[in-house]
């Protein structure tokens, strides 16, 4: 079956994700539309990958419509703009790191137009997006999830985690775990540094031992010890995701004192260090708290 | 050079570690003594690996003396028992997950008898001990560390992390990071469970995503979701190690609010769930806090 | 001016509060209606204080309508029941420990019927309610707040704290501070107890020193050291209020790591000790965490 | 009985405390010696109150010897200086906010010279010191405590809290409770401020309600809302005391996650805001964490 897909939001993640949709369309005889708030970026994508830089009204007619935007609020805006142009039967696959409450609201809102909504955030970073090996965590009814599996051309793994909102909830919890693991490693290394321990050697030990995490293995060595803190995922966005995680905790009246404290510390880091810095720069707040560089 | 080694403490870790010393001794024409508080275990080791079940006085004459005991307090007791029998020139390599303050005290105490002391805790668990691939993190003067590198027959990797006490400090920080990463994952999964999310699927996502850690990858699936909680490393010992980590924080007047909070929660878990349970059973306290099984 | 007031919710607080309205009505020639879900309690109030046990339709015609219910959800239900019976010009004064979001929604909803809504929770406990010395913290427009000041016959002090929702926000923050102060004192005394210190003497010192709080002065001696834990304000309700406080934090993306952690611990206490126990029984969780009675 | 007392350490607390000893000596025919590291201050005290500015050797001969110094380390130094000059039979009453471990060590050390040691820290601030209404919390054997009760001329209340070290332990716990109560109130008020609530009105409500504490009643209004932060008790010293409190927790392997977290935050505040600022200036860190002044 040849179908038309549209991809809304060509950011650091969306740009390479949409490229995989383009390849898939070319292989199957389908069409791949793209849209971006700054239209130049869509035009560049079209030039590079053979997609079509469309307007939102055209995108609204796609059979599968992807979005990947900074927050659920921007998705709401796009939905509002498309409004009556939406085509009954379309499946909207939202890859934003969104809010479970928004997912439920958006699904209900879109169902009035005959459009179904799946929350389908991704993990794997920009390298996974380029390689087409992203993990997609999907919330929604099983049949609808299964109906779009073959369209997720950017995915290495698609995991159906529960009903509407579950995809966003799992993404938020994953990201707050990243936040906790990163922060805790920062506290530990700062203290070892004050102790006169060789921090690089200590990190090497931890990465060969039980205390290791993705954060210790793939962030601290490359971003903190090098003092580079390259901005690929901002502190503000990680704090936002940790905030969604706490909303998930609150929505079930859960008890999660460590997640809750850590959110508070990331909010503080975003204020004091800067929300546009890389998320690894949260450890600069730990450095100030301890008057000790982590290096 | 043919030398005599002695290994004090044939527990779950020490027993296979000493086996590697035995093989090394056989290959180099040396001798390998072993001692254990319960002598039967030393006799069994001798029968199985060709070591010699010696008494503490004989062990005291070894050129390299290893210890691997539950806490620094037991090492102190062994040092006291050996007393005047210790041989000037011996290097004592303590693989206990000990206390940095004890290391400094023990080194000073032993130096009066011409014995040098290196804190050299290991990571890699019982499987790493059997395979001889343990990571050894060593604190002490460089020349002394280098002098025993070839004797660490159970090591896959030897990392010199700093002066006396640094090995114990790094081990304690590694273990408190394990504690934090494990606890945080437990909070997140319990809350997702209350939310009706498929916890197994959520864990699969996290383990393919940025929030993963050794704890999420190697403990929660095997020990918690299975409801087995097999006892390989007790909650009491992990709480003890987290306590040493906090002592490391305190000794430099550091600021580590997440590590400090987590220690409090593990102490609580050890009291409420039981200090002889497996360390993964700490998550049973989270389950009670949330009236939600993690499964 | 003789006016009619109605009081909805004759609980431990509402019953004596409504008595003050009755006295005020008698003094000024007004009428005081009362309503309670269990009608017997309203009848008893009428017999005791000369109020009128009315139905909700009659209450809806009052010029000033008070409510004091367990949560904002119950207030919503009463509003729904009154519906079209509400009288344009009525001022609804909600003394519930409610939610700021609910206040804004309720005010908007009621304004469509010409009814104004003020969030006006109280503090001072049942003794303050009986004495008529409650502190009332009111959110809403100044003119409307001023218009009902003379009607707040149960108040010792009326403080206008901000716009709609501010009253509930302040009440929630006050209660989470109670929660923090109580919990921290519990941790401190449990630890001193383990240390062999005379806990009663330590509490006497603290209550004469800088670490004292309303919790240490008026709760721990009377409720915890006596082992009585009399149920006047439940653990479940305090955890609910602490949850509203965290919602207040989240609504402004605030950083409040200590408040956030404490909420998690109260949720845990409500699950493990029991939500229907007195709020002071939260310290029984600390006792289990430390294997140490606070006495 | 006419006796000689000596007072070591004429700081903000010690100066007025020693004045009460002087009055007591004059009333009973005794002598009151004073000593201060900066001798001018002792001379000034003598001129003002009729005490004698003595050297440490003379002070060592006093029957009751008081000390009130910044930390136990300074007390150790004074003990070392007095050494052989100490008089068997002297009772040393240490009013420093010291460390329980130091108390036990100092008592044992002094007992070899026939000198007994009581840990007897005080609370009530400089105003209590001037008024002679300090609360003294004493650790040590009952008979020894009773033997000096009449000499504590600066006390409004003397409370025997337990064995040696108990006085310091209670003082440390009191001060960490001050730290927690102050910090929590700061978090709450900062968040209310972001919410647009009138912070002064909110504080008035809290101070009339269940969330009040000495910190909310006597510090925040006078020191924070006024933006004055007058330095009477430094942030560094409060962080030091909170550190002793955590040592008390650790010495009994206690579980006190809120106290532990709060210590970490005060350490951070001392680094980021400045250890020589007033302790109330810890709330300036909360202000930065929330980009919100508390006013």
């Amino acid at each position: 079956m040849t179908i038309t897909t549209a991809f809304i939001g060509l950011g650091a993640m969306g740009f390479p994700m949409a490229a995989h949709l383009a390849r898939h369309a070319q292989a199957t005889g389908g069409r791949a539309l793209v849209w971006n708030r700054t239209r130049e970026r869509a035009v560049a994508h079209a030039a590079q990958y053979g997609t079509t830089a469309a307007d939102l009204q055209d995108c609204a007619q796609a059979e599968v419509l992807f979005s990947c935007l900074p927050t659920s609020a921007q998705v709401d805006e796009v939905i509002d703009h498309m409004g009556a142009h939406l085509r009954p039967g379309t499946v909207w696959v939202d890859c934003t790191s969104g809010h479970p409450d928004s997912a439920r609201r958006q699904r209900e809102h879109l169902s009035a137009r005959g459009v179904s909504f799946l929350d389908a955030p991704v993990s794997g970073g920009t390298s996974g997006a380029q390689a087409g090996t992203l993990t997609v965590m999907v919330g929604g009814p099983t049949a609808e999830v299964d109906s779009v599996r073959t369209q997720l051309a950017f995915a290495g793994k698609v995991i159906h985690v529960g009903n509407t909102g579950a995809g966003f909830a799992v993404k938020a919890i994953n990201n707050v775990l990243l936040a906790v693991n990163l922060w805790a490693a920062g506290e530990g290394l700062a203290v070892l540094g004050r102790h006169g321990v060789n921090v690089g050697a200590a990190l090497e030990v931890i990465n060969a031992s039980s205390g290791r995490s993705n954060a210790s293995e793939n962030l601290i060595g490359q971003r903190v010890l090098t003092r580079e803190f390259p901005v690929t995922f901002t502190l503000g966005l990680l704090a936002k995701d940790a905030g969604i995680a706490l909303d998930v905790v609150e929505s079930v009246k859960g008890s999660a004192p460590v997640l809750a404290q850590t959110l508070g510390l990331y909010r503080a880091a975003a204020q004091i260090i800067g929300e546009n810095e890389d998320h690894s720069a949260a450890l600069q707040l730990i450095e100030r708290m301890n008057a000790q560089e982590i290096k």
Side-chain angles (χ1 to χ4, degrees), chain A residues 126-191:
Chain A
T126 51
S127 61
Q130 279 148 14
T133 58
L134 293 171
T135 297
V136 190
M137 53 209 89
V138 196
T142 304
E144 293 182 25
V145 174
D146 289 344
S147 76
V148 296
R149 278 181 188 268
T150 58
Q151 304 300 325
L152 305 176
F154 43 74
K157 193 181 266 193
V158 177
I159 303 177
H160 181 200
V161 291
N163 291 332
T164 298
F168 288 161
V170 171
K171 174 71 179 179
I173 293 294
N174 176 75
N175 281 18
V176 80
L177 293 182
L178 163 63
V180 172
N181 299 348
L182 175 60
W183 184 275
E187 285 187 356
L189 292 172
V191 164

Side-chain angles (χ1 to χ4, degrees), chain A residues 38-204:
Chain A
T38 313
R39 186 173 153 80
E40 287 75 9
R41 204 161 158 85
V43 171
H45 198 275
Q48 191 171 348
Y49 296 113
T51 46
T52 304
D55 60 20
L56 283 179
Q57 295 190 14
D58 291 335
C59 289
Q61 292 293 311
E63 284 146 300
V64 185
L65 208 160
F66 295 90
S67 50
C68 190
L69 295 165
T71 73
S72 287
Q74 281 90 33
V75 179
D76 280 339
E77 287 173 20
V78 172
I79 292 174
D80 283 351
H81 273 97
M82 290 187 170
H85 299 282
L86 282 161
R87 191 190 72 96
T90 288
V91 182
W92 189 308
V93 179
D94 184 20
C95 301
T96 300
S97 291
H99 198 295
D101 293 347
S102 299
R104 284 181 283 268
R105 200 172 22 73
Q106 289 162 339
R107 181 173 172 86
E108 192 181 340
H109 179 71
L110 288 170
S111 73
R113 300 198 176 277
V115 171
S116 92
F117 178 94
L118 299 173
D119 49 307
V122 299
S123 75
T126 51
S127 61
Q130 279 148 14
T133 58
L134 293 171
T135 297
V136 190
M137 53 209 89
V138 196
T142 304
E144 293 182 25
V145 174
D146 289 344
S147 76
V148 296
R149 278 181 188 268
T150 58
Q151 304 300 325
L152 305 176
F154 43 74
K157 193 181 266 193
V158 177
I159 303 177
H160 181 200
V161 291
N163 291 332
T164 298
F168 288 161
V170 171
K171 174 71 179 179
I173 293 294
N174 176 75
N175 281 18
V176 80
L177 293 182
L178 163 63
V180 172
N181 299 348
L182 175 60
W183 184 275
E187 285 187 356
L189 292 172
V191 164
L192 287 174
R194 273 178 81 99
H195 221 254
V197 170
N198 179 326
V199 169
L203 182 62
E204 189 185 350

